[in-house]
Each structure stands twice: as C-alpha cells, then as structure tokens.
Amino acid sequence: MHVAVVGSGPSGVYTAQSLVQQDRVPGVRVDVLDRLPCPYGLVRYGVAPDHEKIKSLQNNLRAVLEHERVRFFGGVEIGPGGVSPARLRECYHAVVYCVGAAADRRLGVPGEDLPGSCSATEFVSWYSAHPDVAVRGCGPPDRFVRGVETAVVIGVGNVAVDVARILARGAAELAATDMPHEALGVLAESRVREVHMVGRRGPSQARFTTKELRELGSLPDADVVVDPEELALDPAYADPSGLPAASRRNVEVLRDWAGRPPRGRARRIRLRFYLRPVAVTEAAGRVGGVRFERTLPDGHGGVTGSGTYEDIEAQLVLRSVGYRGVPIDGLPFDPARGTVPHAAGRVLRDGAVSAGEYVAGWIKRGPTGVIGTNRPCAKETALSLLDDAPALARRAVPGDPPAALRAAGAEPIEWPGWLAIERAEAELGRSLGRGSVKIPDWAGLREAAARGAALG
C-alpha cells in the first residue's frame, strides 16, 4: 500500500504518522509531497521566530519524516504547471490532501489596496523567510516598516498578536532567532512607536490565547494600553465568571492592565475593541490611517453599528481577519465553506465518495483550531483510508512513484536535499555571528539542496 500525502505541515505529517504507526494494514508506505523545498509548513513559515518552544515541534515532525516507511519530496507542485491530481492518483493507491487554507480574508472596505495596506500573512511570510513572499500593497518587502511610526493591526487573534509583538520588539531581541538577516536589518531601523490592535467585538470574544496575550505585557520596551471604558462595553467584563475558561482568563488579564498606568517605554501597544473598519484612508498616495465605526453589543453575541466614527492615523495597516481555502485543480470545492467536500476525510464528488482521495487539516475542516487540533483530524482521515485499504490496494500502481512524478515534470528535492538546506542555514548564521538563519529565496534554497545532492 503506497500513499501520497500532499503537504508537509502538521496535518500532513500527523496523517503520515497515523498511517505508518497502526497495525491494521502492515507495510503502508507514505510519500509526503510539498510544493516548497522545506518541510513543516506553518511550523516553519507561520510560527513567529521568537516562539522557540512552538518551533521546536519541528523535532517531532522530523521524527515522522525520518521513519523508514516515510519519504519527503519537496519542490513538487500539484495542479496547474505541475503534477495533476489525476496523474498523482495514478501513481499511488491513495492520495491525502493536507494543503491548508492559503488565501487571506479581506476587509472589503474602500482603500484596502492602498500602498501600505496588506495582509498580516504577507508580513509573517516576510519575517519568516517564505520564498513566495510577494508584498503587493506594501511595495518591496524591505519597505514594510520604513517611514512607519504608527501601525494598525486589524484583528484580535494569535496572528494579530504575533505581528503586533514583532513590530514592538527591539532588533536585539530578535537577533537570536532564525529571522532572515534582511528582515532583521529592516526591523533594526524601524521607527514604529505605536501599534493599535483592533477588534470589532469585545474582549470576551477575542480569539487570542491567554499565553499569547500575556507575552505582550512582558515585552521589555513596550507598554500595553487598554481603555477601561472601552472594555466595560462588554457585558461580561464586570463579571467574567460565566465565560469559558480561556475567555475568562483573557478578560482578567485585560482588567489587570486597565488599572496600570503606562511606564513610559519606547513603544506602545494599544488594544482596542468594539471598532469596525469602514475605510482605509489615504495620505499622499498611500495609507494615511483607518476610519472605524464604534460598534455596540447586540445582545446575541454580535455587534451593531452606533453611527459614531473614529479615525486612527497610521502609515501601515495589516489585516488579520482569517483565512480561506482555495480550490485545488481537479478536486471538488465548496466555495461557501472554503473546503473540499468530504465524509470523515473521504473526498466527495457530487455527494459520492471518490475512491482513493482524502483530505485532512484546514482544507478539510476550515481554518480553525491550533496546531494540536490537526492530530485527531488527521487520525480520522487515516482511519477512513485504512478502512478502505483492502479495496484500494488491488489497483496496480508504478513500482517507483517518484520516477513517475519526474516523468510528469516534477523535480523532487529529497530528504538529503533538505538536510543540506539546514546545513547551509547554519553556515549562513555562523557567518553573520548568529544562530541558524533562514534562506529566504527559491534560488538560494534550490542551490543549497543541489549542493548537498552533489556531495552525496
């Protein structure tokens, strides 16, 4: 039984782990394919560089990818310009798509496309050295924070907290991370002094975790400022005892901060609530700020507009309002949910199970949960596949699927190539007087992988 898993982030690796660690179908082999030369998905390219404990999850994922019946092939594009899903299906007994949710949700307000307005994901990709980084509204990547004194982050989830924290950190604190050297240099010259993180609902409905929230309060050079009158608009603020535990802890942290005077530090993070963006305003041909409408609780968990407005001047606007899955060429897609239709992970075509095609992760359930949420999701899909295995294994497939992939135009980067990239990043860091430093571009990654392959 030979299975392809498309995507090497947590959902893909957990799927591979579930397949090879069970004993129901002996000898299952798994090829984990990824469009990028490097494994680990958002653990490498989404977790903030100063979150070393979370990034250490790579060690657990590595152990799976080094299993004797698991192989990694990077640089394999599935879809237009690459290997078609139909061809991939010919090469393997089963294919599991674990491709995440690649598109950002938009605000849908005037001025959203002004220079200086872009998605938080683009900012994260830049400081995480994603080789696809393409900053549209913000100009060239090195222009993110140049000339910026005030930034507005729209959203109150963990990604919003991450980008606010990176904007408010000093470069000396980030030098010990694997942040690409160019990004570190740009942030070292940053003149950002104020960051507004803004949500349209109240503190009891914010999506960040308490651990992430508390990190903002521990930054050595930044004050966190909250407005007690704004917090008090939340019906649960005075007595949060009836809230779920996570929301109650968030409110308790914010209540504590509301009673503290600013300490006069170099930077300031303002947490704002009950403000809905209605326009990104313009100044001299680029972002000049954001106009917000004050919202009020509607008594049903939502908000309603109040008809009063507030302008916040800013030179950088980062939206962090969620993600959406994108269609995979050759697979069915539910545009309303942004997912592939499925039943317990089995892909459905016109309501009927499509034999040998499966999904796991965000493309299966939508962009919800934390990294650990992918483990039970992947296990459910793997169990469905294993239930189907007796019928799937009857079909003949090529004895060497990678050769068939190459014949289809792919140029896979195998595990030794990835290890060569790791060595090159360690060497780069040493040359700069730092720890390991990420290579931020396709050419550099491919060159490092090829150099490793040439050395055997």
Side-chain angles (χ1 to χ4, degrees):
M1 182 78 178
H2 208 158
V3 178
V5 171
V6 181
S8 65
S11 63
V13 176
Y14 290 151
T15 299
Q17 183 179 42
S18 294
L19 290 170
V20 299
Q21 288 188 346
Q22 53 71 45
D23 56 8
R24 294 167 52 189
V25 181
V28 174
R29 294 172 294 153
V30 181
D31 288 349
V32 178
L33 316 178
D34 203 293
R35 188 178 63 83
L36 298 173
C38 309
Y40 312 137
L42 285 179
V43 176
R44 176 176 167 92
Y45 289 120
V47 173
D50 58 343
H51 274 177
E52 290 297 329
K53 185 174 182 180
I54 302 175
K55 289 173 71 66
S56 68
L57 177 62
Q58 292 183 15
N59 297 327
N60 303 87
L61 303 181
R62 173 191 290 271
V64 177
L65 294 175
E66 290 182 333
H67 189 282
E68 62 182 0
R69 285 186 279 115
V70 177
R71 298 185 296 186
F72 170 74
F73 296 101
V76 178
E77 181 86 44
I78 305 300
V83 181
S84 70
R87 179 60 178 141
L88 192 63
R89 182 72 182 87
E90 293 172 358
C91 295
Y92 293 91
H93 292 107
V95 181
V96 187
Y97 292 91
C98 307
V99 295
D104 294 283
R105 292 187 183 276
R106 291 176 58 83
L107 300 174
V109 301
E112 185 172 7
D113 293 319
L114 281 167
S117 170
C118 43
S119 74
T121 301
E122 289 173 318
F123 186 53
V124 171
S125 294
W126 171 67
Y127 67 60
S128 297
H130 195 296
D132 280 346
V133 66
V135 185
R136 295 181 292 275
C138 293
D142 67 350
R143 296 291 301 280
F144 258 116
V145 297
R146 289 199 172 135
V148 175
E149 295 184 358
T150 301
V152 171
V153 181
I154 299 174
V156 284
N158 280 345
V159 174
V161 174
D162 279 349
V163 299
R165 191 182 65 254
I166 294 296
L167 286 168
R169 268 206 189 280
E173 303 167 61
L174 296 169
T177 73
D178 61 2
M179 179 179 285
H181 207 59
E182 181 187 51
L184 182 66
V186 171
L187 290 172
E189 298 176 5
S190 168
R191 294 187 296 158
V192 174
R193 292 295 175 264
E194 192 155 72
V195 181
H196 298 257
M197 191 168 74
V198 187
R200 64 183 177 88
R201 296 194 293 176
S204 67
Q205 297 160 315
R207 303 299 296 273
F208 42 63
T209 60
T210 308
K211 180 179 182 296
E212 291 260 4
L213 178 63
R214 284 182 174 140
E215 280 187 279
L216 294 180
S218 65
L219 296 177
D221 293 325
D223 284 328
V224 179
V225 179
V226 292
D227 181 348
E229 293 185 4
E230 199 166 72
L231 297 178
L233 294 172
D234 193 320
Y237 180 67
D239 179 13
S241 60
L243 293 172
S247 298
R248 184 182 70 250
R249 289 191 295 267
N250 286 343
V251 170
E252 289 169 350
V253 170
L254 292 167
R255 290 176 67 177
D256 181 49
W257 287 348
R260 295 182 186 178
R263 288 168 285 187
R265 293 178 173 177
R267 299 179 180 89
R268 184 169 293 188
I269 300 173
R270 294 185 179 273
L271 300 183
R272 306 294 309 276
F273 298 96
Y274 290 115
L275 291 173
R276 176 168 57 200
V278 295
V280 177
T281 57
E282 181 266 342
R286 56 174 291 116
V287 163
V290 185
R291 173 160 291 178
F292 292 94
E293 181 183 16
R294 168 67 65 193
T295 60
L296 296 170
D298 64 5
H300 305 287
V303 293
T304 185
S306 69
T308 60
Y309 298 86
E310 176 180 341
D311 288 348
I312 298 177
E313 292 186 6
Q315 300 79 47
L316 174 66
V317 176
L318 299 173
R319 67 178 183 273
S320 180
V321 292
Y323 303 91
R324 279 187 58 80
V326 296
I328 303 169
D329 186 60
L331 286 183
F333 187 72
D334 180 349
R337 297 174 56 87
T339 58
V340 172
H342 72 94
R346 297 177 176 93
V347 171
L348 299 177
R349 293 181 181 272
D350 298 322
V353 169
S354 178
E357 293 183 313
Y358 303 83
V359 285
W362 279 2
I363 198 62
K364 170 186 173 184
R365 68 180 190 275
T368 61
V370 294
I371 290 174
T373 312
N374 290 292
R375 191 180 290 276
C377 172
K379 184 176 181 180
E380 179 191 54
T381 295
L383 291 176
S384 292
L385 192 159
L386 294 169
D387 285 342
D388 302 340
L392 297 173
R394 296 191 192 105
R395 187 169 59 85
V397 298
D400 184 15
L405 293 177
R406 291 186 179 93
E411 298 178 7
I413 294 172
E414 301 186 37
W415 192 249
W418 158 240
L419 297 181
I421 291 172
E422 280 193 316
R423 290 193 298 271
E425 292 183 337
E427 292 167 5
L428 175 60
R430 283 193 295 271
S431 73
L432 297 169
R434 299 173 56 193
S436 181
V437 172
K438 286 181 181 173
I439 297 170
D441 59 281
W442 276 96
L445 292 168
R446 287 195 176 278
E447 180 183 347
R451 195 163 58 239
L455 294 174

mmCIF file of all heavy atoms in Angstrom, residues 375-398:
data_model
loop_
_atom_site.group_PDB
_atom_site.id
_atom_site.type_symbol
_atom_site.label_atom_id
_atom_site.label_comp_id
_atom_site.label_asym_id
_atom_site.label_seq_id
_atom_site.Cartn_x
_atom_site.Cartn_y
_atom_site.Cartn_z
ATOM 1 N N ARG A 375 -4.069 16.791 14.952
ATOM 2 C CA ARG A 375 -3.778 15.378 15.234
ATOM 3 C C ARG A 375 -5.041 14.509 15.163
ATOM 4 O O ARG A 375 -5.066 13.518 14.415
ATOM 5 C CB ARG A 375 -3.074 15.251 16.580
ATOM 6 C CG ARG A 375 -2.501 13.856 16.825
ATOM 7 C CD ARG A 375 -1.814 13.785 18.180
ATOM 8 N NE ARG A 375 -0.590 14.550 18.219
ATOM 9 C CZ ARG A 375 0.594 14.104 17.791
ATOM 10 N NH1 ARG A 375 0.679 12.897 17.255
ATOM 11 N NH2 ARG A 375 1.664 14.853 17.894
ATOM 12 N N PRO A 376 -6.121 14.821 15.908
ATOM 13 C CA PRO A 376 -7.330 13.984 15.763
ATOM 14 C C PRO A 376 -7.960 14.083 14.388
ATOM 15 O O PRO A 376 -8.548 13.113 13.896
ATOM 16 C CB PRO A 376 -8.270 14.513 16.853
ATOM 17 C CG PRO A 376 -7.768 15.888 17.179
ATOM 18 C CD PRO A 376 -6.289 15.830 16.969
ATOM 19 N N CYS A 377 -7.839 15.251 13.746
ATOM 20 C CA CYS A 377 -8.371 15.417 12.391
ATOM 21 C C CYS A 377 -7.653 14.473 11.431
ATOM 22 O O CYS A 377 -8.278 13.780 10.621
ATOM 23 C CB CYS A 377 -8.196 16.880 11.966
ATOM 24 S SG CYS A 377 -8.595 17.219 10.247
ATOM 25 N N ALA A 378 -6.317 14.426 11.533
ATOM 26 C CA ALA A 378 -5.528 13.542 10.664
ATOM 27 C C ALA A 378 -5.819 12.078 10.961
ATOM 28 O O ALA A 378 -5.904 11.248 10.047
ATOM 29 C CB ALA A 378 -4.042 13.836 10.852
ATOM 30 N N LYS A 379 -5.986 11.748 12.246
ATOM 31 C CA LYS A 379 -6.251 10.354 12.615
ATOM 32 C C LYS A 379 -7.572 9.877 12.031
ATOM 33 O O LYS A 379 -7.668 8.744 11.537
ATOM 34 C CB LYS A 379 -6.248 10.216 14.133
ATOM 35 C CG LYS A 379 -6.409 8.777 14.595
ATOM 36 C CD LYS A 379 -6.314 8.665 16.109
ATOM 37 C CE LYS A 379 -6.457 7.216 16.566
ATOM 38 N NZ LYS A 379 -6.358 7.086 18.042
ATOM 39 N N GLU A 380 -8.604 10.741 12.068
ATOM 40 C CA GLU A 380 -9.892 10.357 11.496
ATOM 41 C C GLU A 380 -9.742 10.009 10.021
ATOM 42 O O GLU A 380 -10.260 8.986 9.547
ATOM 43 C CB GLU A 380 -10.912 11.478 11.668
ATOM 44 C CG GLU A 380 -12.264 11.136 11.059
ATOM 45 C CD GLU A 380 -13.202 12.323 10.979
ATOM 46 O OE1 GLU A 380 -12.809 13.365 10.416
ATOM 47 O OE2 GLU A 380 -14.341 12.204 11.463
ATOM 48 N N THR A 381 -9.019 10.871 9.279
ATOM 49 C CA THR A 381 -8.835 10.617 7.851
ATOM 50 C C THR A 381 -8.030 9.348 7.627
ATOM 51 O O THR A 381 -8.365 8.524 6.751
ATOM 52 C CB THR A 381 -8.133 11.817 7.195
ATOM 53 O OG1 THR A 381 -8.993 12.961 7.265
ATOM 54 C CG2 THR A 381 -7.785 11.534 5.744
ATOM 55 N N ALA A 382 -6.963 9.154 8.400
ATOM 56 C CA ALA A 382 -6.135 7.953 8.235
ATOM 57 C C ALA A 382 -6.946 6.689 8.497
ATOM 58 O O ALA A 382 -6.795 5.690 7.778
ATOM 59 C CB ALA A 382 -4.930 8.024 9.170
ATOM 60 N N LEU A 383 -7.800 6.719 9.499
ATOM 61 C CA LEU A 383 -8.618 5.544 9.792
ATOM 62 C C LEU A 383 -9.597 5.251 8.654
ATOM 63 O O LEU A 383 -9.852 4.089 8.321
ATOM 64 C CB LEU A 383 -9.362 5.735 11.108
ATOM 65 C CG LEU A 383 -8.489 5.734 12.370
ATOM 66 C CD1 LEU A 383 -9.332 6.032 13.603
ATOM 67 C CD2 LEU A 383 -7.768 4.403 12.530
ATOM 68 N N SER A 384 -10.152 6.316 8.057
ATOM 69 C CA SER A 384 -11.024 6.108 6.893
ATOM 70 C C SER A 384 -10.251 5.445 5.763
ATOM 71 O O SER A 384 -10.734 4.491 5.123
ATOM 72 C CB SER A 384 -11.601 7.449 6.423
ATOM 73 O OG SER A 384 -12.498 7.988 7.362
ATOM 74 N N LEU A 385 -9.038 5.935 5.521
ATOM 75 C CA LEU A 385 -8.220 5.370 4.446
ATOM 76 C C LEU A 385 -7.890 3.902 4.731
ATOM 77 O O LEU A 385 -7.969 3.045 3.833
ATOM 78 C CB LEU A 385 -6.932 6.196 4.304
ATOM 79 C CG LEU A 385 -6.058 5.976 3.077
ATOM 80 C CD1 LEU A 385 -5.171 7.201 2.853
ATOM 81 C CD2 LEU A 385 -5.163 4.737 3.201
ATOM 82 N N LEU A 386 -7.536 3.618 5.965
ATOM 83 C CA LEU A 386 -7.183 2.235 6.314
ATOM 84 C C LEU A 386 -8.383 1.304 6.202
ATOM 85 O O LEU A 386 -8.240 0.133 5.824
ATOM 86 C CB LEU A 386 -6.585 2.198 7.717
ATOM 87 C CG LEU A 386 -5.235 2.912 7.860
ATOM 88 C CD1 LEU A 386 -4.856 3.057 9.318
ATOM 89 C CD2 LEU A 386 -4.153 2.170 7.088
ATOM 90 N N ASP A 387 -9.576 1.812 6.514
ATOM 91 C CA ASP A 387 -10.781 1.008 6.313
ATOM 92 C C ASP A 387 -10.967 0.669 4.837
ATOM 93 O O ASP A 387 -11.469 -0.417 4.489
ATOM 94 C CB ASP A 387 -12.010 1.768 6.814
ATOM 95 C CG ASP A 387 -12.115 1.799 8.337
ATOM 96 O OD1 ASP A 387 -11.448 0.973 8.996
ATOM 97 O OD2 ASP A 387 -12.855 2.658 8.850
ATOM 98 N N ASP A 388 -10.571 1.596 3.971
ATOM 99 C CA ASP A 388 -10.746 1.411 2.529
ATOM 100 C C ASP A 388 -9.588 0.639 1.891
ATOM 101 O O ASP A 388 -9.644 0.291 0.702
ATOM 102 C CB ASP A 388 -10.859 2.773 1.837
ATOM 103 C CG ASP A 388 -12.007 3.607 2.360
ATOM 104 O OD1 ASP A 388 -12.935 3.037 2.964
ATOM 105 O OD2 ASP A 388 -11.969 4.843 2.170
ATOM 106 N N ALA A 389 -8.518 0.410 2.657
ATOM 107 C CA ALA A 389 -7.270 -0.105 2.087
ATOM 108 C C ALA A 389 -7.411 -1.412 1.317
ATOM 109 O O ALA A 389 -6.801 -1.569 0.249
ATOM 110 C CB ALA A 389 -6.220 -0.251 3.190
ATOM 111 N N PRO A 390 -8.177 -2.405 1.809
ATOM 112 C CA PRO A 390 -8.247 -3.666 1.055
ATOM 113 C C PRO A 390 -8.685 -3.469 -0.397
ATOM 114 O O PRO A 390 -8.130 -4.100 -1.309
ATOM 115 C CB PRO A 390 -9.266 -4.486 1.851
ATOM 116 C CG PRO A 390 -9.129 -3.968 3.254
ATOM 117 C CD PRO A 390 -8.907 -2.489 3.094
ATOM 118 N N ALA A 391 -9.669 -2.587 -0.620
ATOM 119 C CA ALA A 391 -10.121 -2.345 -1.995
ATOM 120 C C ALA A 391 -9.117 -1.504 -2.762
ATOM 121 O O ALA A 391 -8.836 -1.769 -3.945
ATOM 122 C CB ALA A 391 -11.483 -1.651 -1.979
ATOM 123 N N LEU A 392 -8.534 -0.500 -2.114
ATOM 124 C CA LEU A 392 -7.592 0.389 -2.804
ATOM 125 C C LEU A 392 -6.342 -0.343 -3.239
ATOM 126 O O LEU A 392 -5.783 -0.057 -4.310
ATOM 127 C CB LEU A 392 -7.218 1.553 -1.876
ATOM 128 C CG LEU A 392 -8.342 2.498 -1.449
ATOM 129 C CD1 LEU A 392 -7.832 3.485 -0.408
ATOM 130 C CD2 LEU A 392 -8.903 3.244 -2.663
ATOM 131 N N ALA A 393 -5.859 -1.283 -2.418
ATOM 132 C CA ALA A 393 -4.587 -1.951 -2.690
ATOM 133 C C ALA A 393 -4.660 -2.904 -3.874
ATOM 134 O O ALA A 393 -3.611 -3.357 -4.359
ATOM 135 C CB ALA A 393 -4.131 -2.702 -1.439
ATOM 136 N N ARG A 394 -5.859 -3.209 -4.361
ATOM 137 C CA ARG A 394 -5.973 -4.123 -5.511
ATOM 138 C C ARG A 394 -5.508 -3.463 -6.805
ATOM 139 O O ARG A 394 -5.166 -4.150 -7.771
ATOM 140 C CB ARG A 394 -7.426 -4.580 -5.678
ATOM 141 C CG ARG A 394 -7.958 -5.393 -4.506
ATOM 142 C CD ARG A 394 -9.290 -6.036 -4.852
ATOM 143 N NE ARG A 394 -9.949 -6.585 -3.676
ATOM 144 C CZ ARG A 394 -10.992 -6.024 -3.069
ATOM 145 N NH1 ARG A 394 -11.522 -4.907 -3.578
ATOM 146 N NH2 ARG A 394 -11.517 -6.567 -1.998
ATOM 147 N N ARG A 395 -5.516 -2.123 -6.829
ATOM 148 C CA ARG A 395 -5.168 -1.428 -8.064
ATOM 149 C C ARG A 395 -3.654 -1.390 -8.236
ATOM 150 O O ARG A 395 -2.904 -1.102 -7.297
ATOM 151 C CB ARG A 395 -5.720 0.004 -8.037
ATOM 152 C CG ARG A 395 -5.557 0.774 -9.332
ATOM 153 C CD ARG A 395 -6.367 2.061 -9.274
ATOM 154 N NE ARG A 395 -5.950 2.911 -8.169
ATOM 155 C CZ ARG A 395 -4.920 3.779 -8.240
ATOM 156 N NH1 ARG A 395 -4.228 3.882 -9.364
ATOM 157 N NH2 ARG A 395 -4.616 4.520 -7.208
ATOM 158 N N ALA A 396 -3.174 -1.661 -9.427
ATOM 159 C CA ALA A 396 -1.736 -1.625 -9.711
ATOM 160 C C ALA A 396 -1.262 -0.189 -9.842
ATOM 161 O O ALA A 396 -1.919 0.649 -10.469
ATOM 162 C CB ALA A 396 -1.445 -2.392 -10.997
ATOM 163 N N VAL A 397 -0.127 0.117 -9.226
ATOM 164 C CA VAL A 397 0.482 1.450 -9.331
ATOM 165 C C VAL A 397 1.946 1.269 -9.686
ATOM 166 O O VAL A 397 2.510 0.177 -9.533
ATOM 167 C CB VAL A 397 0.338 2.237 -8.005
ATOM 168 C CG1 VAL A 397 -1.118 2.464 -7.659
ATOM 169 C CG2 VAL A 397 1.065 1.530 -6.872
ATOM 170 N N PRO A 398 2.617 2.318 -10.183
ATOM 171 C CA PRO A 398 4.041 2.190 -10.532
ATOM 172 C C PRO A 398 4.867 1.737 -9.332
ATOM 173 O O PRO A 398 4.593 2.114 -8.184
ATOM 174 C CB PRO A 398 4.423 3.608 -10.956
ATOM 175 C CG PRO A 398 3.139 4.255 -11.348
ATOM 176 C CD PRO A 398 2.090 3.647 -10.471
#
